[in-house]
Amino acid sequence: MGKINWGRVFLGGLLAGVVINIFEYVLNTYVLASEMEAAMKTLGVAMPSGAIPIFLLLGFVTGITAIWVYAAARPRYGAGAKTAAITGVGIWVLAYAIPNAYLAVAGLFRVRLLCIATLVGLVEIVVASIAGAAVYKEA
């Protein structure tokens, strides 16, 4: 079993983060913008002025985490897109599906909004994981 190549985890994770941030930009600027604005208004809150840089940073952290999990799974499941997709689904469950389920149960956002965001998130993280995994090489 090879050692994790942390430089490649970071590089692949940055690529995955770019993919995640592009998906999130399109989703939140064009697809769900009016629905999200209405939801925030209903909650009586506004987007904090410094939120966008934090969201971008979190996109990169998610991408790096996804490639780290891919690197750890690679010796067990083999290199390639299939393993990247499987680990991407794992990240999706933990970082997208479960948190959005909590928000739905709490009634903070409309289920339709959360379903769209969660399903787009599945495509987003799988594509990001495959892209980032293409950059990753063992140490």
Side-chain angles (χ1 to χ4, degrees):
M1 207 178 291
K3 293 187 179 227
I4 290 179
N5 184 340
W6 291 104
R8 288 294 186 142
V9 166
F10 187 72
L11 189 62
L14 289 179
L15 176 59
V18 167
V19 172
I20 289 166
N21 286 324
I22 290 170
F23 267 88
E24 290 296 320
Y25 173 77
V26 171
L27 179 68
N28 293 300
T29 303
Y30 299 105
V31 179
L32 295 178
S34 60
E35 221 173 311
M36 185 58 86
E37 186 178 324
M40 297 294 278
K41 188 175 181 179
T42 299
L43 291 171
V45 295
M47 183 75 68
S49 61
I52 292 182
I54 301 299
F55 286 137
L56 289 169
L57 177 64
L58 290 172
F60 286 113
V61 170
T62 303
I64 292 166
T65 304
I67 303 310
W68 170 45
V69 172
Y70 168 77
R74 184 180 146 130
R76 290 154 188 82
Y77 297 108
K82 181 178 177 184
T83 299
I86 290 168
T87 58
V89 169
I91 295 293
W92 173 77
V93 168
L94 294 172
Y96 296 73
I98 292 172
N100 285 348
Y102 279 114
L103 292 173
V105 171
L108 293 176
F109 294 97
R110 292 182 52 214
V111 172
R112 178 185 182 281
L113 175 96
L114 292 170
C115 284
I116 292 169
T118 304
L119 291 174
V120 169
L122 176 59
V123 175
E124 164 186 309
I125 193 64
V126 169
V127 170
S129 294
I130 291 170
V135 172
Y136 183 79
K137 305 289 182 242
E138 288 288 310

